[in-house]
């Protein structure tokens, strides 16, 4: 993993965990700086296709080189060579980083944390990799709401528009589900972004696991705080 600071006094900190190289992924944060690294000995030709549009462009990354570009819209990137990628969201005094989502897609996604109220807002970004519309159920704070994500399109949902905003800060997991079948698999990817006037945290839709390792935390030094959120399924779970 690595971490970076968003201010010279080191009071704003974010980090990212590297993922496997990918030749097909979705970048979820318009306006972010998208860094693309080609570790191959051959040049990479990258097609950037805007989700929900016919607009696309092409980028060529020389062998063993990297480039950056400003992401204009939620986009699916396909490359002739596997790439490493990261999105960097910056604003005065704020820093957020997110790794683009591999275009594998699932019918069920769980984000371990989101917050509404008390100055916090949370947005949910969903991309539908299937050619037909998907009816999606979003659950948060014990309430479920249905939304539609268009085929080969994307949607940004402000949870404050979907659910009642509590008077104080209320955290909970966000669960996203949609129907699937053998002939029509559900192909959703997504991200959750939590923000307040001072900070931004982005969570990707990583698959569930029974074992985790956290290579770095920053807690108790210069006011930095690290929180750990764990979400279980329908059965009780013992955690060590």
């Amino acid at each position: 993993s690595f971490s970076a600071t968003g201010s010279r006094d080191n009071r704003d900190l974010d980090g990212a965990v590297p993922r496997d190289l990918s030749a097909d992924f979705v970048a979820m944060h318009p306006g972010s700086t998208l860094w693309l690294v080609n570790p191959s000995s051959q040049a990479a030709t990258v097609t950037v296709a805007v989700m929900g549009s016919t607009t696309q462009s092409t980028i060529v990354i020389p062998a063993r080189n990297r480039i950056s570009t400003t992401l204009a819209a939620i986009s699916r990137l396909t490359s002739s060579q596997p790439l490493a990628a990261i999105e960097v969201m910056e604003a005065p005094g704020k820093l957020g980083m997110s790794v683009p989502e591999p275009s594998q897609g699932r019918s069920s996604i769980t984000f371990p944390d989101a917050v509404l109220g008390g100055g916090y807002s949370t947005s949910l970004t969903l991309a539908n990799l299937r050619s037909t519309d998907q009816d999606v159920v979003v659950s948060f704070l014990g309430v479920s709401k249905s939304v539609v994500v268009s085929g080969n399109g994307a949607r940004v949902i402000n949870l404050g528009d979907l659910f009642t905003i509590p008077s104080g800060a209320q955290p909970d997991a966000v669960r996203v589900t949609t129907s699937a079948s053998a002939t029509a698999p559900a192909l959703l990817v997504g991200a959750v972004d939590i923000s307040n006037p001072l900070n931004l945290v982005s969570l990707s839709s990583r698959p569930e696991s029974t074992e985790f390792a956290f290579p770095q935390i920053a807690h108790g030094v210069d006011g930095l705080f690290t929180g750990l959120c764990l979400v279980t399924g329908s059965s009780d779970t013992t955690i060590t």
Side-chain angles (χ1 to χ4, degrees), residues 4-13 91-95 198-199 221-224:
T5 59
S7 59
R8 293 187 181 274
D9 60 8
N10 292 331
R11 295 186 63 85
D12 294 283
L13 180 72
K94 283 187 177 183
L95 173 70
L198 298 176
N199 296 288
V221 178
D222 295 328
L224 294 173

Side-chain angles (χ1 to χ4, degrees), residues 113-116 120-123 192-196 199-203:
D113 194 30
V115 188
L116 280 185
Y120 285 88
S121 63
T122 297
S123 63
V192 154
D193 296 290
I194 308 167
S195 63
N196 63 21
N199 296 288
L200 169 67
V201 175
S202 183
L203 304 178

Side-chain angles (χ1 to χ4, degrees), residues 146-187:
S146 295
V147 298
V148 177
V149 184
S150 59
N152 291 321
R155 181 169 179 176
V156 180
I157 303 163
N158 186 335
L159 293 190
D161 296 335
L162 204 59
F163 303 98
T164 302
I165 300 177
S167 57
Q170 289 290 324
D172 192 21
V174 177
R175 293 175 170 86
V176 178
T177 57
T178 187
S179 59
S181 66
T183 57
L187 296 174

